[in-house]
Amino acid sequence: MTQDATEQRVLDAVAARRELVNDAIDEELPMSEPPRLWEATRYLLEAGGKRLRPTVVLLAAEALADVEPLSADYRSFPALDDATIDVMAAAVSLEVIQSFTLIHDDIMDDDDLRRGVPAVHEAYDTSTAILAGDTLYAKAFELMTNTDAPPEHALEATRLLATTCIRICEGQALDVEFERQTDVLPEEYLEMIEHKTAVLYGASAATPAVLLGADEETVEALYRYGIDSGCAFQIQDDVLDLTVPSEKLGKQRGSDLVENKETIITLHARQQGVDVDGLVDADDPEEVTEAEIDDAVAELEAAGSIDYAREKAQELTDRSKQRLAVLPDNEARSLLEDLADYLITRGY
Amino acid sequence: MTQDATEQRVLDAVAARRELVNDAIDEELPMSEPPRLWEATRYLLEAGGKRLRPTVVLLAAEALADVEPLSADYRSFPALDDATIDVMAAAVSLEVIQSFTLIHDDIMDDDDLRRGVPAVHEAYDTSTAILAGDTLYAKAFELMTNTDAPPEHALEATRLLATTCIRICEGQALDVEFERQTDVLPEEYLEMIEHKTAVLYGASAATPAVLLGADEETVEALYRYGIDSGCAFQIQDDVLDLTVPSEKLGKQRGSDLVENKETIITLHARQQGVDVDGLVDADDPEEVTEAEIDDAVAELEAAGSIDYAREKAQELTDRSKQRLAVLPDNEARSLLEDLADYLITRGY
C-alpha cells in the first residue's frame, strides 16, 4: 500500500473506535455530585483527542483473540480461556489516565491551551484542576478493577497501571529537571520520554494481553511494542516542530527552539558542537521570523541532528513492529503495524 | 478504666505500631531516581504523623484474626483461611494516600505549614508537590496490589481504595464549595466530612477484613465503624478549635471563626439565629484577642451549638463502637473501642 493508503486505513480504524470509546466515556463518567468537580473531570475528555491509546488497547485485544476487527463486543470480549472481558473499561481507564496527566502537566508547565480550548486550570481554577486530575486518577483504577477479568489477571493489570503511573511521574520530574540542564545526553533524553510518554503506550498494548490471559512473553512483547512506538511518536513530535509549516502545525514552527526546550535534536546538535543557544535570538514565539527558523533548521540539518532524530524514530518503529511477531498474523495485527508507521509518518 | 488510663492505653498501642509502620514506610518508599521527586514524596511522611489510619488497619486485622496484639508478624499475617497476608503493605498504602491528600490539599488551601514544617509546595515548589502527590497516589495502589492476599480479595481491596479516593475528592470539592456558602445545613456538612475525612478511616478498618477474607457483614460493619468514628474525630476538631487554649492547640484558638470557616458549630448556630459573621471582627488570627474569642464562644455555648457538636460526636462514637460487635471479643477489639473514644476525648 502507498503511505497515503496506509494512513487512511489507520485513520479509519482509529475513527471507528473513537466513537465507541467516546460513548463508553459518557457511560463510565456520568455527571455526579458535586457537579462542578465532575464537569471539570469531563471537560478535557470532551474537548477531543484522537483516543490513540484506547485504540491500541482494542486493536491489541482483537489481534490476541484473533477476531475480525470490530466484530466482537468490546464490553464482553472473548478472553483466551472461556471468560468474557470488558476490554472497553480498560481502554477508557488508560484514556482517563492520559487525561489526568495532561491536566496536571498543564498546571506544572503553565500551559494555558490544550486541544484548542483553555486548559482546565484556566477554564476553572488551579484547585479544581488538581482535584479533577485526582478524581480521574482514582476513576482509572476503579475502571481497571471492573473489567470482569479473572481476579488474578485483573489484579495484574491494576498493578501494571500503578507501576506505569509511577514511571510517568518520574518521567515528568526528569523533564522538569532537564529543562534546567544543557548537558543531557540524547540517551538520557530517550529514557525520559520512555518514562513520560511511552510507558502509557506500553501499558495500553500490554493490558489487554494481561486481561485476556496471554503468556508472559506475549505481554512483554506487546509492552515493548508500545514503548518503542511511543518513543518514536515523541521523537517525531520534536521533528515536526521544526519541519511542518506553522499554519499546519497550529502553532509557531520552531517553538521548542524559541522556548529553549531541549529535544533529542538540540541535544544531538550540542554534541556536534552546534551553538544551540545562539540559533534563535527571539524568546517569544510571536517575535520570531520564519527566516530565522529556516536558518536554524538548516544548521541543525547540517549537523545531521534532524536526520539523527528521524533515523532514531524509524529504528524504533521498525523494532516495535517486529515485536508483534508473537501475535497471530491477522488484520488487527496489521493495523497495529500500520499504526506504528502512522505515528512517525503523520504530517502533524 | 479512667479516661486517663484509657487514653494511655491507646497512645501506647498507637506508638508501638507507629514504629513498625515507620520502618515499613522506609522499606516501601526507598530513595530512587530522580532524587528530588522521591525526596519530596518522603518529606511529609518523615515529618511525623500519629499513623492513626495504619493503626486502625493493624488493630482490625488482629481483632479479626483473634490473635494477641503484636504477636503476629504483620508482613505474614494469618488470614481467615490458610493464606498469610502482608497487612503492613495495606497499612502503609492507606497512610500514603493520607499523605498524598495532605500535600494536594495544602496547595489548594494555600496552607504553608503542615506538621510544624513548611508544606511540600513551600519546601520544594508547587509542581514538585503536585507530582509528589501523584507519585504517592500510584504507590498506594501498587502497595495495595502487593499484599499477597488471594487475588479476589486483593482486587476487592484495591477497588475499595479507588472508590474511597473518588469519595475523598468529592468531599474536598464540597469543602471548597461550602466555604463560599453560609446556608449549608449541618447534615450537609456531616456528609461533606464523611466524604472528605471519614471514608479513609472506613477504608482503613474495612480493608483488613476484605484482605483476610471476612464475610460481607463484617466488612460493612468495620467500614461503618471507621466512618462513624472518623466523622466524630472531625467534629471534635471543630470543638477543639474553640475550646482548647491557643498554646496547647499550637495555633490561635478560634481560628476557624476568624477565617470564616464554616463548621458544624457555626452552621448550627446560624440555624438558631446567631449572627455568626458578627461574632469576631478580626479577619487575621494574629489580630484577634482572647477576650473576643471568649465572647464568641460564650454566644455559641448559649445557642447550644457547641453542645450540639459534642453530642453529635458522642452519638457517632457510641454507634461506631456498637459496630464492632461483629468481631470476636478480644484485646484488639477493645483497643479499637478505646481508639474511638480517644478520637473525641483527646485534648488536642
Side-chain angles (χ1 to χ4, degrees):
Chain A
M1 269 194 291
T2 65
Q3 188 181 309
D4 278 359
T6 304
E7 181 160 331
Q8 195 51 52
R9 194 162 162 261
V10 171
L11 290 176
D12 290 345
V14 171
R17 284 161 188 79
R18 176 163 58 235
E19 220 171 300
L20 299 169
V21 169
N22 286 346
D23 290 346
I25 289 172
D26 282 344
E27 288 161 29
E28 300 291 357
L29 286 116
M31 270 304 295
S32 186
E33 296 285 327
R36 192 178 149 87
L37 173 67
W38 285 100
E39 270 169 39
T41 63
R42 293 177 51 104
Y43 170 85
L44 184 60
L45 283 162
E46 283 172 3
K50 294 195 195 72
R51 315 298 187 214
L52 288 178
R53 292 158 196 81
T55 296
V56 169
V57 174
L58 300 173
L59 282 174
E62 292 175 321
L64 281 158
D66 203 11
V67 298
E68 181 82 8
L70 297 171
S71 69
D73 180 357
Y74 292 131
R75 291 291 198 177
S76 54
F77 196 85
L80 302 185
D81 49 25
D82 285 340
T84 57
I85 288 172
D86 184 353
V87 286
M88 183 57 90
V92 173
S93 169
L94 287 154
E95 183 70 10
V96 164
I97 286 288
Q98 163 70 0
S99 189
F100 134 68
T101 62
L102 294 178
I103 293 172
H104 280 193
D105 281 4
D106 284 344
I107 304 172
M108 294 182 231
D109 300 341
D110 207 7
D111 281 334
D112 296 345
L113 281 178
R114 170 69 71 175
R115 291 179 179 161
V117 295
V120 178
H121 67 277
E122 288 290 320
Y124 294 81
D125 52 69
T126 301
S127 293
T128 305
I130 293 175
L131 212 43
D134 290 346
T135 306
L136 288 168
Y137 209 155
K139 190 72 201 176
F141 278 97
E142 193 184 58
L143 279 163
M144 196 58 90
T145 64
N146 285 334
T147 59
D148 305 327
E152 64 272 27
H153 299 158
L155 186 67
E156 185 59 35
T158 307
R159 187 182 292 129
L160 173 61
L161 186 65
T163 313
T164 300
C165 290
I166 294 172
R167 292 291 96 78
I168 293 173
C169 291
E170 289 172 338
Q172 169 70 2
L174 277 178
D175 194 17
V176 172
E177 273 187 28
F178 284 180
E179 274 172 27
R180 300 180 196 141
Q181 296 173 28
T182 54
D183 56 350
V184 178
L185 299 174
E187 298 74 44
E188 292 174 311
Y189 180 83
L190 275 178
E191 199 196 314
M192 182 275 284
I193 61 174
E194 175 170 326
H195 278 59
K196 182 179 163 146
T197 304
V199 288
L200 198 54
Y201 279 98
S204 299
T207 296
V210 172
L211 292 174
L212 266 58
D215 58 36
E216 255 181 66
E217 187 201 344
T218 306
V219 171
E220 179 65 19
L222 277 164
Y223 186 72
R224 297 306 319 179
Y225 160 80
I227 294 280
D228 289 340
S229 54
C231 281
F233 170 81
Q234 190 60 49
I235 292 171
Q236 179 65 6
D237 250 13
D238 296 344
V239 173
L240 294 177
D241 182 71
L242 293 171
T243 55
V244 174
S246 302
E247 59 278 16
K248 214 174 158 190
L249 208 55
K251 61 173 186 176
Q252 173 61 51
R253 179 171 64 108
S255 61
D256 287 349
L257 282 180
V258 179
E259 288 162 3
N260 299 311
K261 190 176 166 303
E262 297 297 330
T263 68
I264 193 155
I265 298 167
T266 58
L267 294 168
H268 178 272
R270 283 181 194 279
Q271 276 194 322
Q272 307 307 307
V274 174
D275 172 22
V276 170
D277 303 313
L279 281 177
V280 173
D281 284 337
D283 52 8
D284 181 337
E286 291 183 13
E287 282 165 20
V288 77
T289 62
E290 288 292 326
E292 213 176 347
I293 299 290
D294 282 340
D295 289 349
V297 171
E299 202 162 333
L300 292 168
E301 288 273 20
S305 302
I306 298 181
D307 280 343
Y308 169 79
R310 280 202 180 100
E311 280 158 25
K312 199 86 208 168
Q314 188 63 55
E315 190 185 306
L316 284 161
T317 301
D318 292 344
R319 203 168 63 186
S320 81
K321 287 155 65 181
Q322 285 158 19
R323 310 277 193 190
L324 297 178
V326 292
L327 294 175
D329 184 5
N330 56 29
E331 178 76 5
R333 179 179 109 178
S334 152
L335 280 165
L336 284 171
E337 288 164 0
D338 291 350
L339 181 63
D341 281 329
Y342 165 72
L343 291 179
I344 65 161
T345 53
R346 70 201 159 98
Y348 55 98
Chain B
M1 268 194 290
T2 64
Q3 189 183 308
D4 277 1
T6 303
E7 182 160 330
Q8 195 51 54
R9 197 162 160 261
V10 171
L11 291 176
D12 289 346
V14 172
R17 283 160 189 81
R18 177 165 54 236
E19 220 170 300
L20 299 169
V21 169
N22 286 346
D23 289 346
I25 289 172
D26 282 345
E27 288 161 27
E28 299 292 357
L29 286 115
M31 271 305 294
S32 186
E33 296 286 326
R36 192 178 148 86
L37 174 67
W38 285 101
E39 269 170 40
T41 64
R42 293 178 50 105
Y43 171 84
L44 184 60
L45 283 162
E46 283 172 1
K50 294 195 195 69
R51 316 298 188 212
L52 288 178
R53 293 159 196 81
T55 297
V56 169
V57 173
L58 300 173
L59 281 174
E62 292 175 321
L64 280 158
D66 204 12
V67 298
E68 182 82 9
L70 297 170
S71 69
D73 181 356
Y74 291 131
R75 291 292 199 176
S76 54
F77 196 84
L80 302 185
D81 48 25
D82 286 340
T84 57
I85 290 174
D86 184 354
V87 288
M88 184 57 91
V92 173
S93 169
L94 287 154
E95 183 69 10
V96 164
I97 285 288
Q98 164 69 359
S99 190
F100 134 68
T101 63
L102 294 178
I103 293 172
H104 280 193
D105 281 3
D106 284 345
I107 304 172
M108 294 183 229
D109 301 340
D110 207 6
D111 281 334
D112 297 345
L113 281 178
R114 171 69 70 177
R115 292 179 178 160
V117 296
V120 178
H121 66 278
E122 288 290 319
Y124 294 81
D125 52 68
T126 300
S127 292
T128 305
I130 292 175
L131 212 45
D134 290 345
T135 306
L136 288 168
Y137 208 156
K139 191 71 202 177
F141 278 96
E142 193 184 59
L143 279 163
M144 196 57 90
T145 65
N146 285 334
T147 59
D148 305 326
E152 64 273 26
H153 299 158
L155 186 67
E156 184 60 35
T158 307
R159 187 182 292 130
L160 173 61
L161 186 65
T163 313
T164 300
C165 290
I166 295 173
R167 291 290 97 78
I168 293 172
C169 291
E170 290 173 336
Q172 169 70 2
L174 276 177
D175 194 17
V176 172
E177 273 187 29
F178 284 180
E179 273 171 28
R180 299 179 198 143
Q181 296 172 26
T182 54
D183 57 349
V184 178
L185 298 173
E187 298 75 44
E188 292 175 311
Y189 180 83
L190 274 178
E191 199 195 314
M192 182 276 283
I193 61 175
E194 176 169 327
H195 277 60
K196 181 178 163 146
T197 304
V199 289
L200 198 55
Y201 279 99
S204 299
T207 295
V210 171
L211 292 173
L212 266 59
D215 57 36
E216 255 181 64
E217 188 200 344
T218 306
V219 171
E220 178 65 19
L222 277 164
Y223 185 71
R224 298 306 318 178
Y225 160 81
I227 294 280
D228 290 338
S229 54
C231 280
F233 170 83
Q234 190 59 49
I235 292 172
Q236 180 65 6
D237 250 12
D238 297 343
V239 172
L240 294 177
D241 182 71
L242 293 171
T243 55
V244 174
S246 303
E247 59 277 18
K248 215 172 158 190
L249 207 56
K251 61 173 186 176
Q252 174 60 50
R253 179 170 64 108
S255 61
D256 288 347
L257 283 180
V258 179
E259 289 162 2
N260 299 311
K261 189 176 168 303
E262 298 298 330
T263 68
I264 195 156
I265 298 168
T266 58
L267 294 168
H268 177 273
R270 284 182 193 278
Q271 277 194 321
Q272 307 306 306
V274 174
D275 172 22
V276 170
D277 303 312
L279 281 177
V280 173
D281 284 338
D283 53 7
D284 181 337
E286 291 184 12
E287 282 165 20
V288 76
T289 63
E290 287 293 325
E292 213 177 348
I293 299 289
D294 282 341
D295 290 347
V297 170
E299 203 164 331
L300 292 168
E301 289 274 19
S305 302
I306 297 182
D307 281 344
Y308 169 80
R310 282 203 180 98
E311 280 159 24
K312 200 86 208 166
Q314 188 62 57
E315 192 184 303
L316 285 162
T317 301
D318 292 344
R319 205 169 63 186
S320 82
K321 286 155 66 181
Q322 284 158 21
R323 311 275 193 192
L324 298 177
V326 293
L327 295 175
D329 183 6
N330 56 28
E331 178 76 5
R333 179 179 110 178
S334 154
L335 280 165
L336 284 171
E337 289 164 358
D338 291 349
L339 182 63
D341 281 328
Y342 165 73
L343 291 178
I344 64 162
T345 54
R346 70 203 159 97
Y348 56 98

